Amino acid sequence: MASTADELTSWFSQWPGAGLAVVLGPVSGLLVIDVDGPEAHQALVGHLGGEPKVPKSLSGSRAPDRYHLFFRCPEIPTKA
């Protein structure tokens, strides 16, 4: 069940430093690849021939080689 705008406003008023979380997998239809540093970034780029053109968010460190890539969750089982 999704949170309402009023609930979010109330929570962020109570806990202004709180972060957000996203439910992943079949329930939300989202799959995320978490890239955690230069070696992971190089492995991803080397395997795919470049960084995919998909929604991307930097991790909390704001380092350019630490990020999350968002994809539609496949309709096949994953190990994630």
Side-chain angles (χ1 to χ4, degrees):
M1 179 164 117
S3 302
T4 67
D6 287 340
E7 287 175 315
L8 293 173
T9 299
S10 172
W11 295 336
F12 281 113
S13 294
Q14 287 181 301
W15 303 289
L20 294 175
V22 176
V23 175
L24 302 175
V27 69
S28 65
L30 290 174
L31 176 101
V32 173
I33 294 178
D34 184 6
V35 179
D36 280 332
E39 289 178 9
H41 173 76
Q42 288 304 319
L44 176 92
V45 169
H47 184 73
L48 299 178
E51 194 176 304
K53 303 288 185 204
V54 297
K56 172 183 176 179
S57 68
L58 291 178
S59 69
S61 71
R62 311 302 293 164
D65 54 14
R66 294 183 178 276
Y67 54 89
H68 304 100
L69 298 173
F70 292 78
F71 298 87
R72 180 177 296 132
C73 188
E75 294 188 19
I76 59 171
T78 69
K79 293 181 181 181

